[in-house]
Amino acid sequence: MDLIICLVAVVVFFVIGYLSGLRRNAAAQDTGVSEFGNDAAILKLVVEHAHEGLVMQDIYGRIEWTNPAYSRITGYSAEEIRGRRPQEFILAPESQIPPEEIETYKFDLTKYQSGFEELIRNRRKNGEYFWNQLTFAVFEGKTSEASKIIVICRDVTSQVEHMKELELARKTLKHQAEHDDLTGIANRAKLSKFLQEAVSAANEAERNIGIIHFDLDHFKEINDSHGHGVGDAVLRHAANVLKSVLGDRGLAARTGGDEFIAVVCEPCSREELQALGSRLLDGLAKPVKVDSLSLQVSVSVGLVLAENAKSSASELINRADMALYAAKKSGRSRIAWYTDSLGAAHRHKRMTMAQLDQDLESGRLTLLLEPQYSFEHQRIIGYEASACWLHPSQGLVDPVEMLSVQEDFKRIARIEHFALRGGITEIKRLRETSNHPFFLSVNLTGASLKDAGFKDAVADLCEENLFARQDIVVELDESIIRLDEPEGLGDHLGKISELGCQIALDKFGSGNGGAGQLIHLNANRVKISPLLISGLRDGTSQQQLVESIIRLAVTLGLETSAAGVNTPEEAGILRKSGCAVIQGEVISKPMTPRQAELHFQDFMPQFETH
């Protein structure tokens, strides 16, 4: 501002000097004497060649003098506008004022002090619009009526347009930074900022705030079956339904993948939030048309109501996650609310998982061995190794059963690796103490098979312990084998074959697979499900089914075994049906390696073997 004032002062000095010089020069010419001399020529040169337009007006706004630059900027000659007010001819339509106001106009000298600035959109004589930067200076006369207003005019159209472009670019970048490219709704960053502001405002006003969190059930199957183009169309449809349901009551956001969150800021009750969730569920349940396809999509919805909004933004998101998880766990395609008991259960689980992680890191799991008995050899020929964990409140448990395959695959892989590593070590020791060539069975899931380092880890363990790979039987639950699905294990089973390990299809006959798996799996063994064994004594139909499985396995050249054999009667029926190997309480429950060693030395079968 100081620089502008100085510039104005200089220009005012030149203009006033120039005009005064003209008057003195004219008087001198009348007398034949030149008072101004070369100074007048200098002033004239500066004023007439200045890039800025210069205007001198009287106190009523009438133009008394302009320089050539003003004519170049506006298109009006000095003669055309002398005696007129700029408001009469230069204002753009949006700035025009009534003629009566122009006629009565008078400068307010208290407002238009030297250095006062104004940016205004003006119109040239040819109708072209431009941005005019005006800087005012006041040359005070002996009276206010004699005072002059000097205006410096600059055509700053290019600068203004550049600033507009920059502002548009800034707004565009800001929008892109805060919105999801695919769906157009807010992204996680915008959600976080919005929710924090909404929670702060709700805390002050002591009003409620609601969260709706949902994701699409089995969305990956849509992508895998129909391609990402169809999947993207479904995501856009979900975003549109969410925006339609929410309206202007808050913010709709896609937080990643197929997950969406809505923040409901308007005062809402539990009933209103439930109604919004139901409308969302109904809207997304309608078939989605994508090209020639008609897809049925279902969602799981979690709801959170922070009454009087005494919760932080991060806490509300965590609660919404818990509610969504509860909805999916209860069967999907439904609504679940966050409750205090749900939060307590989540905190307990989090503490439990933290303890499990510590014990996994330090190796404080328990290895159990369950013996497998051969009717042909009339002795124990192998052991199934499994890992157990001392739960803080439940005692020894199978840690894999308490974990989610989708969410805890890394933990599951570590647990299975513990069982494999410990099993190899202990079976090798049992071989040395008993002089019997026991084999090792270990149950693995996709968590291990899909692990990029699985193959090398098994090879290294076998090499370190001088343990033959063919003496390892990898048992796979028939429920996880989906050879015709992209997420199945078909592409990963080759790792086992390449290693030389045997494959056993576990829990066969439990209703999650079929005979086709035996053909395509390249299995070596079949283990009959305990569900079938438990009903052997109840009727002939169950026994006939077991016998059919055994015959099928023999036809395919596979060895059969049975798990969950708990009574001598069940063992006898299986022996007569042609089953080769059994395991269960009739032999022994799972034992520690030391117990297994003592058990082998003293074991005598309690059922007829001939």
Side-chain angles (χ1 to χ4, degrees):
M1 181 59 74
D2 292 339
L3 180 61
I4 293 174
I5 293 173
C6 291
L7 176 62
V8 170
V10 170
V11 173
V12 169
F13 168 77
F14 276 124
V15 171
I16 299 302
Y18 171 62
L19 296 175
S20 300
L22 287 179
R23 289 195 295 269
R24 290 196 300 270
N25 196 36
Q29 287 178 354
D30 290 340
T31 60
V33 180
S34 175
E35 295 182 9
F36 212 82
N38 290 333
D39 290 345
I42 295 173
L43 289 173
K44 181 179 179 181
L45 186 67
V46 171
V47 170
E48 292 188 353
H49 288 82
H51 291 291
E52 290 82 7
L54 299 175
V55 181
M56 185 167 70
Q57 298 171 260
D58 65 15
I59 194 70
Y60 297 104
R62 291 186 289 262
I63 297 174
E64 295 185 348
W65 171 88
T66 61
N67 73 337
Y70 187 77
S71 294
R72 288 196 301 270
I73 292 173
T74 64
Y76 292 96
S77 66
E79 290 75 18
E80 288 180 286
I81 58 177
R82 186 177 295 118
R84 301 177 66 188
R85 297 177 175 89
Q87 296 95 320
E88 298 176 20
F89 59 87
I90 201 170
L91 294 181
E94 67 272 13
S95 304
Q96 289 182 358
I97 57 179
E100 56 271 19
E101 289 187 21
I102 297 176
E103 188 63 30
T104 59
Y105 181 81
K106 183 178 181 180
F107 275 107
D108 181 356
L109 297 182
T110 61
K111 174 182 177 182
Y112 288 92
Q113 297 296 321
S114 295
F116 178 82
E117 287 192 340
E118 183 178 13
L119 178 65
I120 188 168
R121 186 165 169 264
N122 284 167
R123 182 169 56 184
R124 308 186 209 275
K125 183 179 179 179
N126 63 7
E128 180 181 312
Y129 293 100
F130 71 101
W131 285 97
N132 200 355
Q133 177 73 54
L134 305 177
T135 305
F136 295 85
V138 177
F139 181 75
E140 297 183 2
K142 293 182 179 180
T143 65
S144 62
E145 296 290 325
S147 297
K148 306 297 179 183
I149 309 299
I150 298 174
V151 186
I152 303 174
C153 306
R154 303 179 188 87
D155 183 350
V156 293
T157 305
S158 60
Q159 294 95 316
V160 171
E161 294 300 329
H162 181 61
M163 291 301 295
K164 285 184 175 180
E165 291 175 0
L166 290 176
E167 179 63 16
L168 178 61
R170 187 191 68 80
K171 289 181 178 179
T172 301
L173 290 173
K174 185 174 185 293
H175 184 274
Q176 291 175 345
E178 295 182 341
H179 291 78
D180 177 50
D181 291 338
L182 178 64
T183 63
I185 63 176
N187 60 14
R188 183 181 291 275
K190 174 67 174 177
L191 170 70
S192 177
K193 180 180 178 182
F194 181 88
L195 183 56
Q196 287 178 0
E197 294 173 352
V199 167
S200 178
N203 284 337
E204 291 182 7
E206 294 188 351
R207 57 179 172 82
N208 299 347
I209 191 168
I211 304 290
I212 302 174
H213 189 190
F214 76 90
D215 69 5
L216 306 179
D217 297 333
H218 307 298
F219 174 70
K220 199 169 190 321
E221 296 178 6
I222 295 176
N223 267 339
D224 292 338
S225 301
H226 305 289
H228 289 283
V230 174
D232 289 349
V234 171
L235 291 174
R236 285 191 289 267
H237 169 73
N240 290 335
V241 171
L242 178 58
K243 286 192 297 183
S244 175
V245 169
L246 184 62
D248 59 357
R249 302 188 65 177
L251 179 79
R254 178 184 175 215
T255 56
D258 62 331
E259 291 193 19
F260 297 81
I261 288 181
V263 181
V264 185
C265 297
E266 292 297 316
C268 66
S269 64
R270 185 181 179 88
E271 292 74 22
E272 290 171 323
L273 197 59
Q274 177 73 36
L276 288 176
S278 298
R279 286 176 54 198
L280 182 64
L281 206 65
D282 294 340
L284 291 170
K286 297 176 182 177
V288 184
K289 294 185 184 295
V290 183
D291 298 330
S292 60
L293 297 172
S294 181
L295 301 174
Q296 194 72 39
V297 180
S298 65
V299 297
S300 300
V301 181
L303 301 179
V304 179
L305 181 65
E307 297 178 292
N308 297 325
K310 296 302 181 184
S311 301
S312 67
S314 60
E315 186 177 359
L316 287 178
I317 294 296
N318 288 336
R319 290 180 177 183
D321 285 339
M322 287 182 247
L324 175 60
Y325 181 77
K328 299 174 79 70
K329 192 175 181 181
S330 62
R332 300 177 184 268
S333 191
R334 61 192 63 201
I335 295 173
W337 278 87
Y338 170 82
T339 62
D340 289 340
S341 59
L342 186 64
H346 178 77
R347 288 190 294 273
H348 181 265
K349 180 180 179 181
R350 188 170 56 191
M351 292 173 60
T352 301
M353 291 298 101
Q355 184 62 55
L356 175 59
D357 288 339
Q358 284 185 0
D359 291 347
L360 275 171
E361 190 66 31
S362 59
R364 288 199 299 268
L365 268 64
T366 301
L367 182 74
L368 296 181
L369 300 175
E370 184 175 3
Q372 298 180 332
Y373 179 87
S374 168
F375 287 116
E376 178 184 356
H377 299 91
Q378 298 185 31
R379 64 173 176 81
I380 295 171
I381 59 172
Y383 292 85
E384 179 179 346
S386 61
C388 277
W389 176 55
L390 185 58
H391 191 282
S393 60
Q394 299 177 18
L396 278 178
V397 299
D398 181 350
V400 173
E401 290 185 355
M402 57 185 287
L403 299 176
S404 166
V405 175
Q406 289 79 19
E407 299 172 3
D408 302 305
F409 62 93
K410 289 185 178 180
R411 288 191 181 103
I412 293 174
R414 292 181 67 183
I415 293 168
E416 291 173 350
H417 185 76
F418 172 88
L420 181 62
R421 182 179 65 249
I424 289 176
T425 300
E426 294 302 333
I427 294 301
K428 178 184 178 184
R429 189 181 61 80
L430 283 174
R431 284 177 169 183
E432 293 170 350
T433 58
S434 65
N435 200 29
H436 283 283
F438 301 120
F439 65 82
L440 168 67
S441 289
V442 61
N443 204 298
L444 300 182
T445 65
S448 290
L449 297 182
K450 294 179 182 180
D451 183 357
F454 166 76
K455 181 179 174 182
D456 291 338
V458 176
D460 291 344
L461 284 172
C462 290
E463 184 176 349
E464 291 170 7
N465 292 276
L466 302 177
F467 200 94
R469 301 177 187 182
Q470 63 267 25
D471 289 344
I472 298 176
V473 180
V474 175
E475 298 188 358
L476 303 172
D477 191 324
E478 71 166 14
S479 64
I480 68 171
I481 304 299
R482 294 289 183 268
L483 300 175
D484 57 342
E485 296 180 5
E487 280 302 293
L489 298 177
D491 294 338
H492 302 277
L493 295 176
K495 296 179 182 178
I496 304 175
S497 300
E498 291 172 8
L499 281 168
C501 298
Q502 299 185 60
I503 299 176
L505 190 59
D506 193 18
K507 298 181 181 177
F508 190 78
S510 57
N512 295 307
Q517 291 178 326
L518 296 176
I519 299 174
H520 299 289
L521 186 59
N522 194 27
N524 306 97
R525 303 165 183 250
V526 176
K527 182 181 283 189
I528 302 172
S529 172
L531 293 176
L532 295 180
I533 303 304
S534 63
L536 279 179
R537 293 174 297 167
D538 298 336
T540 57
S541 59
Q542 199 88 331
Q543 185 174 337
Q544 289 174 351
L545 179 57
V546 170
E547 290 175 353
S548 297
I549 293 174
I550 294 173
R551 286 196 299 271
L552 175 63
V554 171
T555 301
L556 296 175
L558 307 177
E559 183 180 276
T560 57
S561 63
V565 183
N566 299 328
T567 67
E569 292 84 357
E570 292 168 350
I573 294 172
L574 288 167
R575 181 184 59 80
K576 292 176 182 178
S577 300
C579 184
V581 178
I582 61 172
Q583 68 184 80
E585 293 182 7
V586 72
I587 308 299
S588 173
K589 293 181 179 180
M591 303 170 286
T592 65
R594 177 57 180 163
Q595 290 171 335
E597 182 180 354
L598 297 174
H599 172 268
F600 176 78
Q601 297 172 358
D602 300 332
F603 175 71
M604 292 292 293
Q606 302 174 3
F607 46 85
E608 183 64 43
T609 59
H610 297 287

